[in-house]
């Protein structure tokens, strides 16, 4: 397993992009509204971790006037297709039985959403999630049902278990130590939020979840409100880390609601992490990272342990932002 470079809490962390080229229209009635004189940063894409290829792909869509929904789908698909990313899509680490099961969700500017949970054999769960959103009256499809639906929609069966992930799983099986705590090396879920030229927000989140999880275990990533939430009047938020903790606080929804109450994306992410800390006074050996954007194109990110970062791509540049953390080291 490759060791993730340990990035110390850095003064280089950029919590928000303030100025930008385009004029925003006014936002919704509730919460922090935009004055017509305020310039918004848009288009803009933000994603968890240093996924520069994924954010570049999303930017490609956005800069040509593409919409936020297409941008986040196209963006996260880059990681789903990358066999070297062992926590998303093809090449993801399997569950304890050796099966790669994928979780993903997507949410658009109108509050429409779709998700697939614990789905096997399909390389692009985010696109299946989009089909659930657009082609069914449902929000979530799980397991075999999701897989069958994917075939019906024309997706091809794909073997998701790469040699590398299989070898590591076989090695793990020798001790079968069940450590559901995700450590610094082991989480690279991609959550992505985009604000397009029209000022509309969409988001997506996709993962193979916790390595060697129990069969059938589902984390936060495909759960609307937990791993991802978008309210086009306010902003969006998404998460990475130990999903159970994010679900317990409905983390992404919480962050959007905190922004509705007037908090900046940065302050809202910090409060989201603190709520989780408050529920885990004696246990801090796990990582959570949140990122958020608002209608102005301000961004924020916060995590428990140093090591988390997030990408932003706007006309101001393509930047990997080391996240501030609750703990110093
Ligand atoms: C989960 N939140 O399944 C995901 C794991 C994660 O990078 O973020 N991995 O709990």
């Amino acid at each position: 397993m490759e060791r993730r470079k340990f990035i110390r809490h850095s003064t280089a962390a950029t919590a928000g992009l303030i100025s930008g080229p385009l004029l925003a229209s006014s936002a919704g009635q509730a919460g922090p509204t935009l004055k017509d004189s305020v310039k918004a940063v848009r288009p803009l894409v933000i994603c968890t971790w240093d996924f520069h290829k994924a954010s570049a792909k999303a930017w490609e869509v956005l800069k040509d006037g593409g919409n936020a929904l297409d941008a986040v789908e196209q963006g996260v698909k880059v990681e789903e297709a990358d066999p070297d990313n062992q926590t998303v899509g093809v090449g993801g680490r399997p569950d304890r039985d050796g099966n790669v099961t994928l979780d993903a969700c997507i949410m658009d500017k109108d509050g429409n959403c779709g998700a697939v949970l614990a789905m096997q054999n399909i390389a692009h769960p985010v696109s299946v999630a989009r089909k659930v959103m657009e082609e069914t009256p449902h929000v979530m499809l799980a397991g075999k049902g999701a897989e069958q639906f994917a075939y019906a929609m024309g997706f091809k069966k794909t073997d998701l278990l790469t040699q590398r992930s299989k070898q590591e799983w076989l090695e793990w099986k020798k001790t079968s130590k069940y450590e559901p705590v995700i450590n610094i090396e082991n989480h690279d879920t991609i959550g992505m939020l985009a604000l397009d030229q029209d000022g509309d927000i969409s988001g997506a989140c996709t993962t193979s979840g916790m390595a060697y999880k129990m069969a059938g275990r589902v984390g936060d990533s495909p759960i609307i409100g937990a791993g991802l939430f978008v309210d086009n009047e306010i902003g969006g938020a998404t998460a990475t880390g130990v999903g159970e903790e994010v679900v317990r606080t409905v983390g992404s929804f919480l962050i959007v609601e905190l922004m509705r109450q007037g908090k900046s994306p940065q302050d809202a992410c910090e409060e989201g992490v603190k709520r989780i800390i408050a529920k885990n006074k004696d246990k801090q050996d796990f990582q959570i990272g949140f990122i958020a954007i608002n209608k102005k194109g301000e961004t924020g990110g916060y995590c428990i342990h140093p090591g988390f970062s997030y990408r932003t791509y706007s006309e101001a540049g393509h930047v990997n932002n080391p996240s501030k953390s609750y703990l110093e080291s």
Side-chain angles (χ1 to χ4, degrees):
M1 189 187 303
E2 268 176 50
R3 188 159 181 89
R4 174 169 285 281
K5 207 172 155 217
F6 211 68
I7 308 163
R8 293 208 158 261
H9 172 186
S10 158
T11 50
T14 51
L17 298 165
I18 312 299
S19 62
L22 295 171
L23 191 66
S25 59
S26 60
Q29 305 85 7
T33 55
L34 287 178
K35 301 265 184 327
D36 281 341
S37 58
V38 174
K39 287 191 176 185
V41 175
R42 71 185 200 216
L44 164 76
V45 60
I46 174 170
C47 69
T48 54
W49 303 107
D50 186 14
F51 289 127
H52 60 96
K53 288 188 195 145
S55 41
K57 181 72 197 177
W59 175 252
E60 218 178 280
V61 176
L62 292 169
K63 78 171 172 22
D64 294 335
N67 68 53
L69 186 65
D70 290 337
V72 295
E73 181 189 7
Q74 293 304 316
V76 303
K77 277 179 78 175
V78 171
E79 291 307 315
E80 289 183 338
D82 181 357
D84 292 330
N85 182 339
Q86 290 182 284
T87 51
V88 180
V90 178
R93 292 192 182 87
D95 64 14
R96 50 172 57 187
D97 300 333
N99 297 311
V100 180
T101 69
L102 303 180
D103 301 330
C105 70
I106 194 160
M107 191 161 189
D108 76 7
K109 65 185 171 64
D110 298 316
N112 298 311
C113 45
V116 291
L117 289 65
M119 184 178 67
Q120 296 183 37
N121 300 315
I122 304 289
H124 287 299
V126 74
S127 297
V128 184
R130 182 165 177 176
K131 290 283 185 202
V132 172
M133 175 174 87
E134 291 176 343
E135 306 290 340
T136 81
H138 307 303
V139 168
M140 293 188 246
L141 290 179
K144 281 277 165 242
E147 190 179 338
Q148 279 160 13
F149 170 71
Y151 297 139
M153 290 289 115
F155 291 81
K156 296 278 167 287
K157 185 168 185 169
T158 305
D159 184 2
L160 302 175
L161 188 62
T162 54
Q163 267 312 107
R164 179 178 169 202
S165 287
K166 185 174 178 182
Q167 281 313 320
E168 288 180 7
W169 168 65
L170 290 171
E171 201 52 41
W172 171 82
K173 277 221 304 181
K174 289 180 186 161
T175 53
S176 295
K177 211 166 154 217
Y178 189 42
E179 287 179 317
V181 170
I182 298 180
N183 59 29
I184 289 291
E185 295 84 5
N186 184 353
H187 44 92
D188 289 312
T189 291
I190 183 162
M192 181 177 276
L193 303 159
L195 175 65
D196 62 29
Q197 284 185 12
D198 292 338
D200 291 322
I201 300 172
S202 291
C205 189
T206 179
T207 191
S208 53
M210 196 177 279
Y212 320 133
K213 59 198 176 186
M214 290 174 68
R217 179 268 182 188
V218 173
D220 60 317
S221 304
I223 307 298
I224 297 295
L228 174 76
F229 195 71
V230 170
D231 182 327
N232 199 39
E233 284 193 352
I234 305 297
T238 187
T240 180
V242 178
E244 282 74 3
E245 298 303 333
V246 178
V247 170
R248 287 173 74 202
T249 55
V250 200
S252 293
F253 179 73
L254 170 66
I255 287 168
V256 172
E257 287 305 298
L258 289 167
M259 291 194 289
R260 188 191 305 277
Q261 290 164 23
K263 284 200 188 303
S264 68
Q266 182 62 34
D267 288 349
C269 287
E270 293 188 15
E271 178 62 21
V273 165
K274 284 172 190 161
R275 297 280 179 102
I276 290 174
I277 295 291
K279 283 197 158 64
N280 291 277
K281 292 216 168 58
D282 304 324
K283 181 173 157 278
Q284 292 176 351
D285 57 349
F286 61 94
Q287 177 68 304
I288 301 287
F290 284 119
I291 60 170
I293 61 172
N294 66 14
K295 290 288 272 188
K296 290 186 249 178
E298 292 172 329
T299 63
Y302 200 62
C303 57
I304 299 177
H305 292 270
F308 175 57
S309 67
Y310 56 98
R311 275 264 161 195
T312 47
Y313 205 152
S314 70
E315 284 192 357
H318 192 197
V319 181
N320 185 37
N321 309 278
S323 168
K324 289 186 190 169
S325 56
Y326 179 79
L327 298 173
E328 288 299 313
S329 60

